[in-house]
Amino acid sequence: MNKLLLKNGIVVSGKKHFVSDVLVEGEKIKKVAKNIKTLGTEVQVIDCSGKYIFPGFIDGHTHFDLSVAGTTTIDDFKSGTKAAISGGTTTIIDYGTQYKGETLKKALKNWLDNANDGVSCDFGVHMSISDLNDNVKSEIKEMIRDGVTSFKLYTTYDIKLDDDDLFSAMKEIGKYDGIVGVHCENDGIIKELRSKIKGDNNKKVLSHALTRPAIAEADCVNRLAYMSHETGTAFLAVHVTCKEALDEVKSAKEKGYRVYGETCPQYLTFDDSVYNDRFEEASKYVCAPPIRKKKDVKALWDGIIDGTIDIVSTDHCSFTKKQKALGKNDFRKIPGGLNLVEYRGIYLFDAYIRKKITIERMCELLSENPSKLFGLWDRKGYIKEGYDADFVIIDPKKSTTLSIDSQVSKSDYCVFEGKKLNGKIEKVFLRGVQVVDENKNIIENVGKFLKRRLYREI
Ligand code: DUC
Ligand code: ZN
């Protein structure tokens, strides 16, 4: 059995950080204490003095191998998980999608098959339900039994559910204590606004943002919060982008509803000036919901600090410039999504160094809270005896410049091109094995499917 001793690192949890050693035996953490003595020469010892040791990051929102707007994401499970782990994300949970007419069982099989070519980090699958009927409802219990304990519902796109089905699916999921993540955007408002776009405005990327307004998002978060309360089903508002939607999450929390908020680095960084008249550049930022205003960026950071936002995920949904160009003559055809799965960890570490968040909050947002919400609290997200030996070691004295030159994702651009961040991911361990060295993958395809438990409240 391999033995590993991380010496004198700064171990981080959601409650505190402290200097300690961490002993690993096989895939698990054996002991967390100062001055651990080991006998024998078979122990690999790594000096972590002055470096932070985080529990492996968990990204609860990725789309690998997803069909969007007549094309498929450029990152499949193989390249997507390789990119994820290069940036310290040792677990992803991808949105498996039930296409019309499929059973959930078939949809899950499709998604597990997607992973057959190899995965470089551990992974779970949320199940997106797009076609609800009695048979599908009866499968929800089986999904949960098989470790798929979280579900996704859409209120827009052709995979959307109408209110009656949203409510019905939530009731069924709630019966078995599953959690539901919802893409919140009022489809009626979007459709009406889009039908009014004519002529040259069809070629403007800005039309994408103008036809998906903040109130369309807030309206849905509000309604889903009430449905969640009525059905007793925990609800995660995924990719919250704006103050209006954030206020709805906050107000639901204040009422004691089991409502949680997620946001992503793109919404914490950019404002709608990215939707300029240069198509190739502007289309890179097309995602749904869209990038909002400067005031929203500020509101989201406030939400991170005051606890309205519980997790930061990426919504990694990657395309090439050529794929984005499918919408050159009609903004409706631009495939939506950004490729950020490898950047989230260092992005938030930089926010810590710049004193925007504490190191403990960073650990909650990236590791502990997703571990709780997505049913991994028994093995991932914490540096504790008995937990999986997933670690990210960050050197705070070094820096990282994000660029297409070093990008692992297969997309051919980096929206953070040239951005210099504090800190460098030095090593990543997955279940006791070092798989990344200085952001470079050194061991690939050792990830496993995770059957997850029921969620735990934050
Ligand atoms: N939004 C995107 O921009 N892409 C994929 C799915 C989503 O919700
Ligand atoms: Zn998404």
Side-chain angles (χ1 to χ4, degrees):
M1 192 192 295
N2 77 307
K3 285 191 184 174
L4 168 73
L5 181 62
L6 305 179
K7 286 291 299 168
N8 287 318
I10 306 161
V11 173
V12 186
S13 81
K15 296 215 162 35
K16 58 181 178 175
H17 60 280
F18 53 99
V19 174
S20 181
D21 298 348
V22 181
L23 179 66
V24 172
E25 276 186 17
E27 298 195 338
K28 300 283 181 187
I29 298 169
K30 178 79 177 159
K31 197 171 176 186
V32 183
K34 282 200 167 160
N35 300 318
I36 297 176
K37 302 268 181 289
T38 52
L39 294 173
T41 50
E42 75 281 19
V43 186
Q44 184 194 0
V45 181
I46 297 178
D47 178 18
C48 296
S49 307
K51 300 185 184 150
Y52 290 87
I53 309 177
F54 288 89
F57 306 137
I58 300 168
D59 190 341
H61 193 153
T62 64
H63 299 282
F64 301 144
D65 284 300
L66 184 72
S67 304
V68 178
T71 186
T72 303
T73 54
I74 191 71
D75 282 313
D76 53 14
F77 261 82
K78 195 175 170 78
S79 64
T81 55
K82 193 175 154 187
I85 204 152
S86 74
T89 292
T90 48
T91 301
I92 59 105
I93 308 163
D94 199 76
Y95 281 107
T97 302
Q98 174 212 22
Y99 296 114
K100 302 272 181 223
E102 283 178 356
T103 60
L104 298 187
K105 214 174 172 175
K106 172 79 172 83
L108 180 59
K109 183 178 180 312
N110 290 345
W111 243 257
L112 295 178
D113 285 351
N114 285 342
N116 279 346
D117 282 347
V119 283
S120 290
C121 66
D122 285 352
F123 73 103
V125 177
H126 310 283
M127 184 48 61
S128 305
I129 302 174
S130 72
D131 193 359
L132 192 72
N133 54 46
D134 285 346
N135 184 45
V136 167
K137 264 197 250 174
S138 72
E139 289 188 280
I140 287 173
K141 185 180 178 185
E142 294 167 34
M143 284 287 122
I144 292 180
R145 184 200 57 205
D146 292 343
V148 175
T149 54
S150 48
F151 295 81
K152 170 95 171 272
L153 305 174
Y154 287 84
T155 59
T156 185
Y157 300 135
D158 54 359
I159 51 175
K160 87 186 214 344
L161 295 187
D162 289 331
D163 282 356
D164 48 350
D165 282 344
L166 284 173
F167 191 62
S168 180
M170 277 182 106
K171 274 204 278 192
E172 198 62 22
I173 294 164
K175 258 195 222 167
Y176 307 105
D177 281 329
I179 183 168
V180 74
V182 185
H183 177 125
C184 291
E185 282 187 294
N186 180 314
D187 198 54
I189 295 175
I190 296 168
K191 272 199 183 120
E192 201 277 341
L193 292 172
R194 288 187 158 203
S195 71
K196 299 285 182 309
I197 302 288
K198 304 265 187 274
D200 269 1
N201 285 336
N202 283 318
K203 295 187 180 177
K204 290 198 174 141
V205 178
L206 182 62
S207 299
H208 169 76
L210 297 179
T211 56
R212 304 188 89 100
I215 52 109
E217 184 182 337
D219 165 72
C220 271
V221 174
N222 172 290
R223 286 186 305 113
L224 266 299
Y226 282 116
M227 286 195 212
S228 149
H229 182 58
E230 187 64 21
T231 58
T233 310
F235 155 50
L236 170 67
V238 300
H239 47 43
V240 172
T241 68
C242 57
K243 177 160 184 348
E244 291 84 345
L246 190 76
D247 285 348
E248 295 297 341
V249 175
K250 195 171 189 171
S251 133
K253 281 182 189 256
E254 280 163 5
K255 283 184 273 193
Y257 294 5
R258 284 187 296 160
V259 171
Y260 302 97
E262 172 199 79
T263 194
C264 315
Q266 56 273 41
Y267 302 117
L268 290 165
T269 309
F270 305 115
D271 64 68
D272 59 0
S273 61
V274 292
Y275 299 128
N276 56 38
D277 283 341
R278 285 174 287 130
F279 180 88
E280 186 174 283
E281 196 50 31
S283 62
K284 293 175 183 171
Y285 300 88
V286 166
C287 53
I291 305 292
R292 305 291 189 191
K293 306 242 171 260
K294 277 204 175 77
K295 69 156 178 68
D296 297 303
V297 175
K298 168 154 189 346
L300 290 174
W301 279 107
D302 291 346
I304 279 191
I305 291 155
D306 73 16
T308 308
I309 293 294
D310 298 286
I311 60 174
V312 174
S313 312
T314 59
D315 197 5
H316 182 95
C317 190
S318 57
F319 298 100
T320 59
K321 290 184 265 190
K322 193 167 166 206
Q323 287 177 299
K324 290 276 181 180
L326 291 168
K328 200 146 178 47
N329 294 319
D330 181 355
F331 71 93
R332 299 166 191 84
K333 296 189 177 144
I334 305 171
L338 278 78
N339 62 310
L340 294 168
V341 79
E342 63 201 86
Y343 301 130
R344 182 186 60 137
I346 204 67
Y347 177 90
L348 278 193
F349 186 78
D350 177 76
Y352 155 63
I353 297 286
R354 290 176 195 270
K355 300 196 176 1
K356 289 183 96 151
I357 52 170
T358 64
I359 197 84
E360 288 79 12
R361 187 76 186 125
M362 172 180 167
C363 185
E364 285 179 328
L365 294 164
L366 297 187
S367 304
E368 292 191 3
N369 288 350
S371 162
K372 287 179 185 159
L373 289 187
F374 304 130
L376 293 167
W377 41 265
D378 59 336
R379 68 207 112 141
K380 296 204 182 273
Y382 298 82
I383 299 181
K384 275 188 193 171
E385 194 183 318
Y387 276 66
D388 283 0
D390 298 345
F391 309 114
V392 188
I393 299 179
I394 299 187
D395 186 342
K397 296 208 177 75
K398 293 190 180 155
S399 64
T400 306
T401 301
L402 309 184
S403 170
I404 185 67
D405 299 339
S406 48
Q407 184 166 283
V408 180
S409 157
K410 288 206 291 201
S411 177
D412 55 358
Y413 61 88
C414 166
V415 288
F416 286 134
E417 187 62 46
K419 197 173 177 73
K420 190 172 174 195
L421 299 176
N422 291 290
K424 184 163 182 67
I425 294 184
E426 197 166 80
K427 293 181 174 58
V428 181
F429 290 84
L430 179 66
R431 283 179 279 104
V433 175
Q434 188 184 348
V435 288
V436 171
D437 193 48
E438 302 273 339
N439 286 115
K440 300 242 166 10
N441 303 78
I442 52 171
I443 296 184
E444 295 177 30
N445 305 329
V446 288
K448 281 190 189 160
F449 174 64
L450 303 168
K451 288 189 176 188
R452 294 174 291 115
R453 293 182 177 273
L454 296 175
Y455 93 100
R456 269 205 175 155
E457 289 194 29
I458 290 174

